[in-house]
Amino acid sequence: MKIIQKVTVKQVLTTTSRKELRERFNQRTEQLERECRQLEFEQKKLERKPELSKQEVERRFSKEISRRKDRIRWMSHQLQQLSILPNGSELDTDEVESIVDVEEGDQWEEIRNKEIVIRDGKVIRAR
């Protein structure tokens, strides 16, 4: 049987990867902040329409804005970890999906706990 499984991608910190990750986290944070501002603008625009419930519009938009702000906080946490961790440390940076063959008798923990380790853009381990 084949299943789709989420696999954690870890980045080994080097001087080069630290710089690239910092840039990527900052770009993603800026994008999320732009999305929040856009959603707030759209929310105010829709709240002015008399045919729509102000509370319903606020509830929907608040949920989306909150999700993005949570991601911003996560990016901020990742940036803090990036500055604290020494070179050679592994930092969770991504998650991908993989197709895995499962057969009777396989050890479930071995199937579940998969991860990919990258150093300077190259896969060094798939465990």
Side-chain angles (χ1 to χ4, degrees):
M1 172 191 316
K2 294 181 188 277
I3 62 171
I4 296 175
Q5 172 187 20
K6 291 187 186 274
V7 177
T8 302
V9 177
K10 293 186 173 194
Q11 178 79 37
V12 175
L13 288 180
T14 63
T15 305
T16 305
S17 66
R18 189 181 305 269
K19 182 181 174 188
E20 290 172 1
L21 286 170
R22 187 172 286 120
E23 288 173 10
R24 189 170 78 175
F25 290 152
N26 285 331
Q27 287 173 352
R28 184 65 181 135
T29 299
E30 289 172 9
Q31 174 65 30
L32 288 166
E33 287 171 349
R34 278 193 301 273
E35 289 176 13
C36 284
R37 286 192 301 272
Q38 181 64 32
L39 285 168
E40 288 167 353
F41 174 78
E42 292 295 327
Q43 176 183 352
K44 287 178 183 173
K45 195 166 116 180
L46 287 175
E47 284 176 347
R48 290 189 198 122
K49 292 189 175 185
E51 65 270 9
L52 297 174
S53 164
K54 187 174 180 175
Q55 290 83 11
E56 180 64 23
V57 169
E58 183 178 347
R59 185 183 63 79
R60 284 183 171 175
F61 278 89
S62 293
K63 186 177 179 181
E64 287 301 316
I65 292 169
S66 177
R67 280 188 13 201
R68 283 164 177 79
K69 286 186 178 180
D70 286 344
R71 293 282 300 159
I72 291 170
R73 282 190 289 278
W74 174 248
M75 293 291 165
S76 175
H77 173 73
Q78 292 284 67
L79 279 167
Q80 286 176 338
Q81 292 300 307
L82 199 57
S83 63
I84 294 171
L85 294 171
N87 282 349
S89 299
E90 293 179 0
L91 181 67
D92 291 357
T93 57
D94 208 353
E95 195 171 70
V96 295
E97 291 184 346
S98 170
I99 297 175
V100 179
D101 285 319
V102 179
E103 303 291 332
E104 286 184 28
D106 286 348
Q107 292 294 324
W108 181 245
E109 287 303 313
E110 290 177 17
I111 293 170
R112 259 193 47 199
N113 297 324
K114 301 272 186 199
E115 60 188 19
I116 297 169
V117 182
I118 298 172
R119 178 183 290 139
D120 293 332
K122 295 183 180 173
V123 175
I124 60 171
R125 281 189 296 276
R127 52 184 180 200

